[in-house]
Amino acid sequence: DNSGTQTGPDFGWDSVDVPPLREAPRLGPLIVGPRPKSVPWATDAGDTAFFSPFRTVRRDDLLAVYTELSGIGPGTAYEAVLTLAPASRSLAARLLGPPTPPVSVSWRAMAGRETMPIRRTVGVGALVPGEYVVRLVVRAEGRELRSEDRVTIE
C-alpha cells in the first residue's frame, strides 16, 4: 500500500535497540625476543613489540613478551600469569640433577580498551641455559585464555 497509512497494529516503536556485538575474549600469539636486540615492531595501537625470529635469548639480555587481549570491555578486571618453564628435558639432563623450577610473574589489571596490549620484560640471568616454554595465562570474565611460545636461553 503506497497511501502512507498504517495497515497493521501499532506497537508504539519504529526501531529496536540492539546492543553492540562483542567478540569472545581472545588472547593473541606471543611475540618474544631479547630486548633491546630484537627488531622493534610498532603495533596498530602505537605500542612496540620486540620480535626476534631466532628465539634465542642470552642470559645477560631481557626477554620481552608482547601480545594483545581482545573481546573484554574497557574496565573489565583480568588476572595474568607469565611463566617460563624448562621444556622437556633430555635423559642426560634428568640424570644430572633436579629440574630448573619455573619462573612466574603474575599481576592484575583493568582493561583500558577493547583490544588491550599486554607486555612484560623478564630478566633471564638466573635461568639455566636450555629451551624454555613461555606461557601466558589470562583469566577474564570467567574464562581462561592461554598463549605460548618457546625460547632458548644461552
Side-chain angles (χ1 to χ4, degrees), residues 82-127:
L82 177 65
T83 304
L84 278 77
S88 60
R89 299 175 61 211
S90 68
L91 176 60
R94 288 191 300 254
L95 293 173
L96 290 175
T100 303
V103 174
S104 293
V105 178
S106 62
W107 67 95
R108 294 174 188 225
M110 299 286 267
R113 54 186 181 225
E114 192 67 32
T115 298
M116 189 70 203
I118 295 177
R119 63 187 161 282
R120 286 292 181 267
T121 305
V122 181
V124 296
L127 297 177

Side-chain angles (χ1 to χ4, degrees), residues 27-124:
L27 189 60
L30 294 183
I31 298 172
V32 298
R35 186 170 183 184
K37 296 176 183 172
S38 299
V39 177
W41 169 60
T43 69
D44 291 340
D47 292 316
T48 301
F50 292 90
F51 173 75
S52 173
F54 302 111
R55 303 283 192 259
T56 300
V57 180
R58 294 175 42 89
R59 291 176 64 202
D60 56 349
D61 290 335
L62 296 173
L63 174 66
V65 179
Y66 180 91
T67 190
E68 292 180 344
L69 172 63
S70 62
I72 67 171
T76 302
Y78 69 90
E79 297 177 21
V81 179
L82 177 65
T83 304
L84 278 77
S88 60
R89 299 175 61 211
S90 68
L91 176 60
R94 288 191 300 254
L95 293 173
L96 290 175
T100 303
V103 174
S104 293
V105 178
S106 62
W107 67 95
R108 294 174 188 225
M110 299 286 267
R113 54 186 181 225
E114 192 67 32
T115 298
M116 189 70 203
I118 295 177
R119 63 187 161 282
R120 286 292 181 267
T121 305
V122 181
V124 296

Side-chain angles (χ1 to χ4, degrees), residues 130-150:
E131 187 176 6
Y132 286 79
V133 175
V134 181
R135 180 176 298 119
L136 179 64
V137 177
V138 174
R139 291 176 191 86
E141 297 184 334
R143 296 184 66 176
E144 185 172 285
L145 310 167
R146 295 173 175 263
S147 189
E148 68 179 48
D149 202 347
R150 290 180 178 249

